[in-house]
Structure formats: structure tokens, C-alpha cells
Amino acid sequence: MKVVYTDVLVIGGGLAGLRVAIGARRRGHDAIVLSLVPPKRSHSAAAQGGMQASLGNVIKGQGDNEDVHFEDTVRGSDWGADQRVVRMFVNTAPKAVRELAAWGVPWSRVRQGDRTVIINGEKVTITERGEAHGLVAQRDFGGTKKWRTCYVSDGTGHAMLFAVGDRAIADGIPVHERTEALSLIHDGKRCFGAIVRDLITGELTAYVAKATAIATGGAGRVYRVTTNAVICEGIGAALALETGIVPLGNMEAVQFHPTGIFPAGILVTEGCRGDGGLLRDASGHRFMPDYEPEKKELASRDVVSRRMEEHIRKGNGAKSRFGEHLWLDITLLGRQHIEHNLREVKDICRYFLGLDPAEQWIPVRPAQHYTMGGVRTDHTGQAYGLRGLFAAGEAACWDMHGFNRLGGNSVAETVVAGMIVGEFIADFVESPAGELDIPTTLLRESLAAERGRLDHLLHHGGREQADTLKAEMQQTMTDNVGIFRRGPDVQRAVDKLQELLVRSRDIGLRSRRDGPNPELVTAYRVQKMLKVALCVAQGALTRTESRGAHFREDFPRRDDAQWLKRTLATWSEPSATLPTLSYEALDVRAMELPPGWRGYGNKDYVDHPDTRQRAEEVAQLREKMQAAGRHAVQAALMPYEQLLPPGLRGRNERIDEKVTP
Amino acid sequence: MSSTEETRPVAKHKNVGMAPEQAPPVAEGPKRMLHFHIMRHDPQDPLSVPHIDVFELEEAAGMTLFIALNEIREKLDPSIAFDFVCRAGICGSCGMVVNGRPGLACRTLTQDLPAEITLAPLPAFELIADLSVNTGKWMRGMSERLETWVHSLGVEADLTRLEERMDPELADRIYELDRCIECGCCVAACGTARMREDFVGAVGLNKIARFALDPRDHRTDDDFYELVGNDDGVFGCMTLLGCHDVCPKELPLQTQIAFLRRKMVKAGL
């Protein structure tokens, strides 16, 4: 029996996982990171446009602060987010940018003086302040009141991942590359680590740890059309689900990004629209102002994606042999800007579309992009149900995104959650609860169970092909659980996925070696992915309202009276074919920002019975405390600072907001 | 290897329907039959002998090597090993030798290649199987040796205060070099790397140039000389500059190596 022991086992080597490991390491604990691929190849690298943090350095960001970022994020979430977690996040995001700046991220910087930008299709000259010169710059992004998205050209995620990846190397953190966790070791109460497969040799090892963190990213690949990397298969969520105890939160909340290139689904950044790019239809008409006069192309992603599909349905799509699409026009930004600030976009257009975006429009259509749901955790990142299990980043439902995430808030979440959860994991490891007392029988049995599963796949001669099942699942999800959802379609998807899940228990392999065997990998992953897909579909079927990215055509209104609650999906037993759903209510009476209209999108919604009273309370308190300053008002409305690790509680300095040390 | 090639049957697949991830439309015409000559070997299998297998596929509109290889795996040979992650030219996982030239397979369109396509793993890296090589292990080793991170003076930044200012131009110049994706193509194309196992390659030299440019890194030229002022570093380069020619991110490797060499000569005096 091969056993590896460490204090903190981090599953996933992207930004969130690496930052968690660094946090634990800096508190003096050993950490091992497991990664399917070399960590710098993680999907974090694909985040192009930037990271939101309310630094307020650029002139169009002047007046920005945590309060504005908080409100934008909560509105973006369609009130699905945990507002205390959003507060923890917005207060830490500026610190994360500053930490990364110190670690070497070459953030694009403010240059003082005049510059020409495109706003609402017009050339406008803005003047950057002298006192901002050389500080980190921000660009405009969807669903934000201020220019808040800090960026490194359009390679933000890449630059962040390399800086954090190199920092992990500097701190001597081992990354076990090309390894995959197959299951969590647990006794129903506490998590003890994971059973891990070496993807090169096929060998199984029990990794035993005081604390285990899931940071495996999203589940985009349960869909056929997605911007996600091929490794984003929701396996971390499945590991938690398969414990039978830990719930996944809000899996039906799936974001579709407006500008996947058509038809390959590769992402071009929201920065295109943030910097002034426009959406046009088959006749070249700029249609977004017709639907969204307030925010136009820069409404939140769920809204823009729906409007695009709606516009195509009305017959305004450009036709191609692969189907219909719309156009993203960034020609008005000029070649200089594109080659400087949007060079990945230029490369993607050149290599995958054979076009020059400085001259030609880019064919786009919404594509699956982000998994708001994930392993449900409390504000410390501790998963529900199993002590010693944590989750961070896209894999988690922490829950700062609710039913729709704002652009620029995902890479921000990775490092912010990494900073916060890393501290809480260290606290846990140092506490009496962190002590390990593990029977070796549990290790042996856990290893034997996984060995048995693999041997069954390799040798029992099943009749089903893994890649066929996977393709059918992906098509089913894209066809029926996409941007517009209808009860009968989603029901059809649930039925189909259940059938596929049953069939997946009879997968046979053509290739029977146990080492680098891609067919075996697809086989055991598709069994897990189907369970995750079923959580998405069943959650979408049951939620008879529309909220954020979850849009039911047969229930088009947001219904706070019935549905201001978080879906929790558990998998009660291995033989089940459906998750068990339960719900946890959000408490309107504790909200700093009671539910209302988002400022874009649908104005028609059903109020929660507590909303009016809470709104009045909040309004009165704000008026009464007007003179007390924004921090005092905030603390009176919804205290949160005590929830943060002590080292991250400080206020953030800005040009216009000095902090006395 | 050519004899092996002839004795092996050609696995065929005719393309019906859409590839799983279609790329953009190309001009309609008679479809080509493509022949993929793929280097196969499993070093863990004592019976495995390196050889070339040939697979026949019908070309589809906008087909990339990512699409083609996945189709081969799905329909012709489920055991074939290769690496893709982002499939968008961003992550650097899919470096391989395509008709003799290292490049990123995911963004290589078959329409830009002849009908006979030879694929081999990147040389200079440990072979995992078939087209999959262990670039990650190599890069981590290089990073540890060259200490590819900002060396500050041990004072942790106060994260509540304004960040240090940086000249906007300089930030852009650092990013220009920071764009390296560690795909390994430069190492695979390097004559020195084939002869000197410990040569840090253009990827390593570029990183040193990047950190030398960064005022947040307090290492001096003398410190950098300790790291690359030898034949495994900048003086090992024979200026064949294959690295510069194949770099998928078009990094200015030629200039950086020349610049670093001058700097290191000065530091070494």
C-alpha cells in the first residue's frame, strides 16, 4: 500500500489551488498540489480580460470602492450571492492585486495625460491624473458602474498564473503533475485525503492529509459548446458529490459567455466590449441598445447572451454553413489598440478564423463559460458535511457569484479565495480538530475500492463506449439545458442523462493497459461527469423561476417569494440515478442590499415578503448615519469584518482615500 | 522506420457529420484524404518499439490538429497519447513536431498542411508516450535552477497601501517577455539543447532577461551571471536561432539572447 502524507493536500494546480497551497505553506505547513497537467497549463491561464479590484486609479474608476464593487457583484448575482462572502471578497481583491504586483505580475499601468478611448461607439478623450501615473490601470467590463478591471494586456490570467506558479516553486511547494484524484478518503464525518492515480504509470496512491482542498475549476465540458479547456470536467465537484454527504450548491447556475468564436467556442475576451467593441447582426445593425438602453453591450453576461439568442431567434442572425451567429466588431478600436491590448484576440482570430479583427468582424455566439455552482462551502471555504474538506475557486460554491458572475470576478475569486481559505485551512490544521487519527483499514479499503473500479472498467468487457456516452451527454446539455430552458426540454435531458448514467456502468474498453490510457481516463471521468450534469439538469428542472443565468422560458420571472434560496444537491447512494435536492434559504433580513431591479435585464420580479421591511430599514439606517462615513454605515447594515482572517481585515488605500496606518 | 510504416495497415475513417469542435468555414471543394504518420512508443512497455502508425482521415472544414487527433483517438485508435488543454493556443500543452517543425498542434489548421502529415513528439523532453512529453518536469527543473521569480529584499509589501509605481512602458516591456507559455518548442528546435542536456534553452534565457528587466527583482548582473554565465547558459547558444523561428508567441528571443550575452560578458569581466 503506497501512502503519501502531508498536512494540506490541494487538488488542482490552477490559481486558486496554488494560492491556497502558498497560504498554508507560509503558515509553516507542508502542502502538496495535485495537478492533471503542469500547473502553468491550467485553465486559469485562459482568463484574458482581467481581474476586478476597486483600486480606482484610472479617471473612469475614480470614486470606486468596495461598496460599489459589492453592489455590482450582488446585482450581477441576481441576489443569489452570499452577501457576507461578497463583502469579504471585495475587501480582499485590492490586496490580491497588490500582492501579485509585488510578486511580479506586469499589470498594465496608468499613463498620465490625454488618451482616446471608445465609449458607446464614440471616440472620447479622457485625461488620466498625474497622481495615478504608474499605478495599476483598470478597464471597463460588463455589469460594473466603474472601470474596475485590472489587466495585463489581454493575457491577465496567464501573467497571474505564471507569477503564482513561480511563487509556489520559490516556496518549495511540490506539485505532483499528471496525477488525478479518483475519490476522497472519508469515514462519513471527516475527510482524510484522496486516492490518487498517476496518469503516467497508472499507479494508485493514498494521499493522507489533515486538510484537503478541492480547487479543480469548473465543469464546462459537460456541454458540447464551451470556452472551457478540455480538463474542465467538473471532476472535483464529482469527488465531493460521490462522498454521498457533501452537497453541490446551485449547479443549475451556468454562465454562457456572449463572445465565443463561432463555431469553435473559443473565448474572445469581454475586454473587447469593455474597450468599446460592438455587437452587430446580419445586417450590420448594432442591436444591444434596442434591448438594453442602459448598459447596452456591457450589461451582465447572462443578459447579453440572452439578448443575442433572442435576436437570432427573431431572424437577425448571420447565416453560415454551421448555423447562425452574430458579429463582434472591434475594428473601431483601431489596429494599434488591438495589437497592444487585445493581442490574444488577434492571435485567436488569425489562427482559428483566418481573419484580421482590425479589418473584419468576428463571428460570435454565446458558449458555456462558467460554473457558478460547485462544492458548497461556508465563508471559510470549509465544505458542508465533511470536516477537513475545503474548496476554493470555480470548483466551490462559496458563494460570491450567486446566479451570475461578473466578468473579471473569476480570476479575482481564485486568488482572493486562495488567500482567505488558505488562512482558514492553516487555522484548521493548527486546531485540535485538525489532528488526524486514521485507521489503516480505511486506507486499504479506499484503495481497494478504486482498484476494483478500474479493474472492472479494464477487464469486465462492457458493451458501452465511453466517448460515445460523453458526446451524447454534451449534446444533450447544449440542446436542452442551455441559455433558454423549458420544462419539457430539461425533463428530456434529465431522462436522457439518467439513461446514459446507467449505460456508463457498462463501459468496456478497447485499450486495456493501465498506464497512459486515455480511453480509461475518459471512462472513469464520464461516469463522474454524468452525475454532475444530472445535478445541473435536475436543479434547472426543479427551479421554476428565472434568476441570473438560469432562465426558464416557462417561468420567466425571478421569484424571490419562492426561490430566494440555494439549491443543494447530494448523491445519496452510488446506485442512484438522480441527485437529492434540498434548499437553503437566503435571509433577506440580514442583507445589506435587499433584492430589487438589477439596473439591466428583466424588470419584472416577485418580491420576497421580507424585502419591503428590510429595504425600509436599510434606507432609514443610511439616512440616520449619513454623516458617519461609509465604513460605519456598512458595519451597521451587515457586519462582516470579523469573518475575515485577521491579516486581511485592513482598509484599502486609494489615491482619493488615504488610510492612516 | 519507413519499413515498419509500410507493413502496418492504414486505419481509415471517413468523415460523416460535424467534427466535435468545428472551426470556421473554408472554401467548399472536394475533400482531401489526409494521412497522419504518427510516431508511436510507450517507454514503459518493454515490448514497445518506436514506430510510425498511419491513420487516414477525411479532412473537414476548419480542421485543426486538435480536432484531427481527437477524431483518430475516438474512431481509429483509443490508445493514442497526446496532450491538449486549452485548445486555443494559450496554454502551451500541445507542442509537437509537425512535418519536421515544432509548433502548437491546437492552432495548426490541416488546410495549411499537405495531405501527408507527420507528427512526432518534441525531442529533448522525456517521452511519456506517443506524442506526449514531460515538458512540465523540464520546466520546473529549469525554474528551480534559474530561480524564475522576483527576488525582493525580504520585505513583504503592505497590501493595504498603494502599490509601487511602475513606468507604463516598462510594464509593457516586461509583459512582452512574460508572454512565454513554456511550450518547449524553442528547446525542441535548439541545436545546443540536443547536445547539452543541462542547457537552459531560450525559454530559460528569456526568463532571465525578463527578471533582469524587472526593477522589483533585486538581483544584480553578477547574480544572473552565476545562473547563466556558462555553457549551459547564454554562452552555450550557437546562435542557430531555431528558437526564434519557431516560437509560437513570436517572442524576440534573438534580441534577448544577444542582449543577455553582452550583459553577461560585461558581468564576467
Side-chain angles (χ1 to χ4, degrees), chain A residues 13-207:
Chain A
L15 275 170
L18 291 169
R19 187 60 188 82
V20 163
I22 291 169
R25 186 78 199 87
R26 291 186 165 206
R27 290 271 297 268
H29 307 295
D30 280 342
I32 292 175
V33 177
L34 305 177
S35 186
L36 296 175
V37 297
K40 286 174 184 166
R41 314 230 186 278
S42 303
H43 191 52
S44 305
Q48 296 165 7
M51 151 163 184
Q52 283 203 44
S54 59
L55 299 183
N57 292 329
V58 296
I59 196 73
K60 286 284 188 182
Q62 200 176 9
D64 198 11
N65 59 37
E66 297 83 5
D67 296 353
V68 191
H69 191 185
F70 168 80
E71 294 211 354
D72 285 346
T73 302
V74 173
R75 289 176 198 283
S77 81
D78 220 353
W79 278 273
D82 180 334
Q83 298 194 5
R84 295 171 318 150
V85 169
V86 177
R87 270 290 172 190
M88 292 166 72
F89 162 74
V90 297
N91 194 58
T92 308
K95 297 176 178 69
V97 170
R98 288 168 176 165
E99 177 177 84
L100 291 167
W103 288 0
V105 171
W107 296 111
S108 296
R109 301 286 172 146
V110 182
R111 195 184 314 261
Q112 66 180 319
D114 289 352
R115 62 183 178 126
T116 306
V117 296
I118 308 283
I119 298 174
N120 194 19
E122 307 285 336
K123 277 191 181 168
V124 179
T125 300
I126 58 176
T127 310
E128 295 296 354
R129 295 170 288 177
E131 59 266 41
H133 185 79
L135 295 176
V136 173
Q138 292 78 39
R139 60 163 42 133
D140 200 7
F141 248 47
T144 64
K145 284 206 175 67
K146 300 282 179 184
W147 291 21
R148 186 184 301 126
T149 303
C150 306
Y151 59 99
V152 182
S153 180
D154 66 345
T156 314
H158 164 86
M160 289 168 68
L161 183 60
F162 272 57
V164 175
D166 282 334
R167 187 55 43 184
I169 297 173
D171 287 352
I173 295 169
V175 180
H176 293 191
E177 295 177 5
R178 295 177 187 266
T179 57
E180 172 164 13
L182 298 180
S183 64
L184 298 174
I185 306 167
H186 69 95
D187 62 1
K189 295 191 186 74
R190 196 205 195 288
C191 179
F192 298 102
I195 302 298
V196 176
R197 181 170 183 268
D198 183 319
L199 291 168
I200 297 177
T201 64
E203 187 180 30
L204 296 188
T205 303
Y207 279 68

Side-chain angles (χ1 to χ4, degrees), chain A residues 41 104 111 158 200 226 352, chain B residues 24 44 87 169 178 182 210:
Chain A
R41 314 230 186 278
R111 195 184 314 261
H158 164 86
I200 297 177
T226 174
F352 296 95
Chain B
Q44 290 180 78
R87 61 79 169 90
E169 213 93 0
D178 205 51
E182 298 188 1
R210 178 242 179 272

Side-chain angles (χ1 to χ4, degrees), chain A residues 207-248:
Chain A
Y207 279 68
V208 176
K210 289 181 175 174
T212 304
I214 294 175
T216 49
R221 287 275 158 179
V222 302
Y223 285 85
R224 183 178 70 84
V225 183
T226 174
T227 64
N228 283 193
V230 301
I231 54 171
C232 303
E233 299 185 310
I235 300 303
L239 293 177
L241 190 65
E242 286 184 338
T243 62
I245 301 157
V246 179
L248 304 184

Side-chain angles (χ1 to χ4, degrees), chain A residues 343-458:
Chain A
R343 50 199 297 172
E344 290 298 336
V345 172
K346 182 175 165 263
D347 270 4
I348 285 165
C349 290
R350 170 171 144 206
Y351 287 106
F352 296 95
L353 296 166
L355 66 79
D356 175 0
E359 303 280 338
Q360 292 158 284
W361 297 347
I362 307 165
V364 292
R365 188 161 185 174
Q368 192 287 340
H369 183 61
Y370 190 81
T371 309
M372 270 78 72
V375 180
R376 178 71 185 125
T377 73
D378 65 15
H379 71 278
T380 69
Q382 157 79 51
Y384 283 20
L386 271 189
R387 250 183 317 120
L389 180 65
F390 294 78
E394 190 175 351
C397 177
W398 188 26
D399 165 12
M400 59 163 279
H401 304 303
F403 275 74
N404 176 65
R405 168 178 75 73
L406 293 184
N409 264 356
S410 69
V411 270
E413 182 190 15
T414 62
V415 283
V416 166
M419 291 167 85
I420 294 173
V421 176
E423 292 300 318
F424 285 124
I425 287 178
D427 289 347
F428 173 79
V429 166
E430 290 163 14
S431 75
E435 295 297 341
L436 264 192
D437 186 7
I438 180 171
T440 52
T441 43
L442 180 61
L443 294 183
R444 185 164 40 74
E445 284 164 9
S446 304
L447 268 169
E450 285 312 313
R451 186 69 263 162
R453 261 176 226 138
L454 294 175
D455 287 342
H456 184 75
L457 279 170
L458 283 165

Side-chain angles (χ1 to χ4, degrees), chain A residues 26 37-38 40-43 45-46 48 55 57 94-95 98-111 130-136 152-155 158-159 162 166-170 172-175 177-178 200-201 221 224 226-231 262-266 320-322 340 343-344 347-348 350-354 419 465 467 510-511 513 515-519 650-655 658-659 661, chain B residues 18-28 31 40-42 44-45 61-62 64 66 70 73-94 106-109 126 128-130 132-137 139-140 143-144 148-152 156-169 171-172 174-176 178-184 207 210-211 214 216 248-250:
Chain A
R26 291 186 165 206
V37 297
K40 286 174 184 166
R41 314 230 186 278
S42 303
H43 191 52
Q48 296 165 7
L55 299 183
N57 292 329
K95 297 176 178 69
R98 288 168 176 165
E99 177 177 84
L100 291 167
W103 288 0
V105 171
W107 296 111
S108 296
R109 301 286 172 146
V110 182
R111 195 184 314 261
E131 59 266 41
H133 185 79
L135 295 176
V136 173
V152 182
S153 180
D154 66 345
H158 164 86
F162 272 57
D166 282 334
R167 187 55 43 184
I169 297 173
I173 295 169
V175 180
E177 295 177 5
R178 295 177 187 266
I200 297 177
T201 64
R221 287 275 158 179
R224 183 178 70 84
T226 174
T227 64
N228 283 193
V230 301
I231 54 171
F262 186 80
I266 293 169
S320 88
R321 54 183 299 197
F322 297 114
H340 193 73
R343 50 199 297 172
E344 290 298 336
D347 270 4
I348 285 165
R350 170 171 144 206
Y351 287 106
F352 296 95
L353 296 166
M419 291 167 85
Q465 280 202 12
D467 48 22
R510 291 163 286 175
S511 167
R513 65 177 170 175
N517 181 346
E519 193 186 21
R651 292 180 185 172
N652 299 301
E653 187 181 25
R654 295 179 181 78
I655 299 172
K658 295 294 171 209
V659 172
Chain B
M18 289 204 354
E21 292 206 38
Q22 288 286 8
V26 289
E28 290 267 27
K31 286 186 177 170
R40 306 296 302 274
H41 182 43
D42 177 359
Q44 290 180 78
D45 177 358
T64 59
F66 167 71
N70 275 294
R73 185 189 271 174
E74 269 169 39
K75 291 164 180 156
L76 300 174
D77 186 341
S79 72
I80 185 167
F82 49 77
D83 293 319
F84 289 97
V85 177
C86 77
R87 61 79 169 90
I90 288 166
C91 77
S93 298
C94 63
C106 73
R107 66 179 205 189
T108 302
L109 291 163
E126 183 182 288
I128 292 172
D130 303 337
S132 173
V133 293
N134 206 334
T135 49
K137 187 176 168 186
M139 294 296 165
R140 169 101 185 195
S143 279
E144 286 173 351
T148 59
W149 53 86
V150 164
H151 289 52
S152 53
E156 294 270 319
D158 179 351
L159 303 181
T160 62
R161 311 310 296 267
L162 288 188
E163 60 276 14
E164 288 281 324
R165 289 168 201 271
M166 180 181 272
D167 175 53
E169 213 93 0
D172 291 350
I174 295 170
Y175 176 61
E176 183 62 24
D178 205 51
R179 291 170 53 246
C180 170
I181 55 174
E182 298 188 1
C183 62
K207 280 180 193 284
R210 178 242 179 272
F211 288 102
D214 195 328
R216 293 168 293 197
K249 290 288 150 185
E250 296 171 349

Side-chain angles (χ1 to χ4, degrees), chain B:
Chain B
M1 262 182 250
S2 57
S3 62
T4 331
E5 186 175 342
E6 279 150 32
T7 56
R8 286 188 181 250
V10 178
K12 293 190 181 187
H13 178 69
K14 199 165 156 43
N15 215 330
V16 284
M18 289 204 354
E21 292 206 38
Q22 288 286 8
V26 289
E28 290 267 27
K31 286 186 177 170
R32 289 195 301 173
M33 294 310 288
L34 304 175
H35 292 102
F36 292 88
H37 305 251
I38 299 179
M39 174 95 166
R40 306 296 302 274
H41 182 43
D42 177 359
Q44 290 180 78
D45 177 358
L47 300 177
S48 173
V49 178
H51 64 273
I52 284 181
D53 278 345
V54 185
F55 301 96
E56 185 178 80
L57 272 192
E58 189 176 71
E59 190 168 33
M63 183 181 256
T64 59
L65 291 179
F66 167 71
I67 294 169
L69 282 168
N70 275 294
E71 208 167 303
I72 290 170
R73 185 189 271 174
E74 269 169 39
K75 291 164 180 156
L76 300 174
D77 186 341
S79 72
I80 185 167
F82 49 77
D83 293 319
F84 289 97
V85 177
C86 77
R87 61 79 169 90
I90 288 166
C91 77
S93 298
C94 63
M96 60 181 73
V97 182
V98 182
N99 285 347
R101 191 182 169 90
L104 298 182
C106 73
R107 66 179 205 189
T108 302
L109 291 163
T110 55
Q111 72 194 46
D112 298 333
L113 298 172
E116 303 299 316
I117 298 167
T118 303
L119 303 178
L122 290 184
F125 298 99
E126 183 182 288
L127 181 69
I128 292 172
D130 303 337
L131 300 173
S132 173
V133 293
N134 206 334
T135 49
K137 187 176 168 186
W138 194 99
M139 294 296 165
R140 169 101 185 195
M142 178 274 295
S143 279
E144 286 173 351
R145 273 170 65 203
L146 300 186
E147 304 185 7
T148 59
W149 53 86
V150 164
H151 289 52
S152 53
L153 292 173
V155 193
E156 294 270 319
D158 179 351
L159 303 181
T160 62
R161 311 310 296 267
L162 288 188
E163 60 276 14
E164 288 281 324
R165 289 168 201 271
M166 180 181 272
D167 175 53
E169 213 93 0
L170 178 60
D172 291 350
R173 281 170 55 215
I174 295 170
Y175 176 61
E176 183 62 24
L177 306 184
D178 205 51
R179 291 170 53 246
C180 170
I181 55 174
E182 298 188 1
C183 62
C185 288
C186 61
V187 179
C190 174
T192 305
R194 305 295 283 278
M195 297 185 301
R196 303 187 70 93
E197 204 183 328
D198 292 328
F199 184 57
V200 300
V203 53
L205 297 174
N206 176 68
K207 280 180 193 284
I208 292 297
R210 178 242 179 272
F211 288 102
L213 192 61
D214 195 328
R216 293 168 293 197
D217 193 322
H218 289 100
R219 283 179 289 185
T220 63
D221 286 353
D222 286 345
D223 296 328
F224 291 124
Y225 184 84
E226 289 300 314
L227 296 169
V228 294
N230 55 30
D231 286 352
D232 285 332
V234 75
F235 301 124
C237 169
M238 302 183 291
T239 56
L240 300 175
L241 296 171
C243 55
H244 188 95
D245 295 339
V246 302
C247 176
K249 290 288 150 185
E250 296 171 349
L251 294 173
L253 299 173
Q254 181 178 356
T255 329
Q256 292 312 313
I257 292 171
F259 164 76
L260 202 59
R261 193 193 306 245
R262 277 184 51 187
K263 211 174 162 74
M264 289 299 100
V265 166
K266 265 175 73 181
L269 287 177

